[in-house]
Amino acid sequence: MPTRDIGTTLASSSNSAPARDYQAKHCLAIGIDQYLEFPRLNYAVHDAQGIATLLHDSFGFTVATILNQEATRARIGDDITNRVATAAGP
């Protein structure tokens, strides 16, 4: 399978807005290479895994990935709902 660099170098700019420090940072990375009715993709899963790793390792995000056949509408919706409910607390 081909691989590519997703460009994880961070650019800084003196014109950028000041960074905010959020207490809880979450990422749901979804990558689908294997569609039922479309040609196979080569990089979606790799890119989802790469951005998930970058956000976790470099910025402290809580990360989940949903890949290929696991990425159903129901699964994605459930994961988002559960993460929002957990983040909001009681």
Side-chain angles (χ1 to χ4, degrees), residues 11-78:
S12 63
S13 170
S14 59
N15 297 345
S16 62
R20 294 182 181 162
D21 185 24
Y22 296 100
Q23 290 182 328
K25 299 171 282 205
H26 299 270
C27 169
L28 174 59
I30 302 165
I32 305 171
D33 281 342
Q34 302 168 352
Y35 287 93
L36 295 176
E37 299 178 14
F38 296 102
R40 180 180 170 86
L41 300 176
N42 295 318
Y43 302 111
V45 168
H46 177 264
D47 289 353
Q49 291 168 326
I51 197 66
T53 298
L54 173 73
L55 292 174
H56 177 269
D57 294 352
S58 297
F59 300 102
F61 275 67
T62 299
V63 174
T65 56
I66 301 178
L67 306 174
N68 288 320
Q69 66 273 12
E70 295 177 358
T72 63
R73 181 183 297 235
R75 170 80 188 274
I76 294 166
D78 288 347

